[in-house]
Structures are given as C-alpha cells and as structure tokens.
Amino acid sequence: MKSFLCVSLLILLMPSAYAAELPGDSVDGSFLHDANCLGCHDTSIYTRKDRRIRSLDALKGQLANCSHMANLQFSAIEMQNIIKYLNDQFYQFR
C-alpha cells in the first residue's frame, strides 16, 4: 500500500516537474500576458474543452500568430516567458 501511494504521488507530480524544466520566467510571462493578451480574450480560452492547442509547438505557433495579429513585437526572451507562464498555468506540456 505504501509503495502504491508513493508511485501515485510521483505520477501526480510529473507534469509540474516537466513544466518546471521549460526555460523562462513565468512571473514575467504572467505580467506580459496580462498586459498584452487579455485585451483580446480572457483565460477561459486556455481551459475550454475544444481548445486547439495540443502541444508545446502548437502553443508557440499560436503565440506567434496572436502577437502578429495584435501587432505586438516580443523579444525571444519575452516570448519564452509567456510560453513558460501559459504552460505552467494551463497546459503542462512536456
């Protein structure tokens, strides 16, 4: 029973451990996201059942599309910080 609980705990912690490995600053990404993305949509877009983003590459592509459509120019570091924030908070891709 004790080993089952340990294995269960490890499985539950795995997604957050993988998310933590992604480079970037999630706090800075949160500020950038709130200042630039919430003008077009709220965070429910990330949690809806029919969301289109199913991979880290798709998330990066969508951020590039959104920034282009909103005429925003993020640096590579800012893009990575936003990706880190979105992945940590909503997606947990590996």
Side-chain angles (χ1 to χ4, degrees):
M1 180 68 167
K2 187 175 182 179
S3 62
F4 174 76
L5 290 174
C6 289
V7 170
S8 298
L9 181 61
L10 286 174
I11 290 171
L12 289 172
L13 293 176
M14 270 202 271
S16 62
Y18 282 114
E21 292 177 13
L22 191 63
D25 181 343
S26 191
V27 173
D28 185 55
S30 174
F31 289 124
L32 289 166
H33 171 271
D34 292 354
N36 296 286
C37 303
L38 294 180
C40 294
H41 57 78
D42 62 25
T43 59
S44 68
I45 196 168
Y46 310 126
T47 58
R48 65 185 191 194
K49 290 183 182 184
D50 65 338
R51 69 182 182 192
R52 297 183 313 171
I53 307 304
R54 303 270 181 217
S55 70
L56 192 55
D57 286 337
L59 178 58
K60 291 175 183 179
Q62 186 61 46
L63 179 57
N65 284 341
C66 286
S67 60
H68 174 75
M69 295 301 289
N71 199 25
L72 298 170
Q73 294 184 355
F74 295 115
S75 70
I77 292 170
E78 290 172 327
M79 291 284 279
Q80 189 58 48
N81 291 345
I82 296 169
I83 295 288
K84 170 88 170 144
Y85 163 71
L86 291 173
N87 195 54
D88 287 356
Q89 293 299 312
F90 302 103
Y91 295 105
Q92 285 93 38
F93 296 128
R94 297 178 184 198

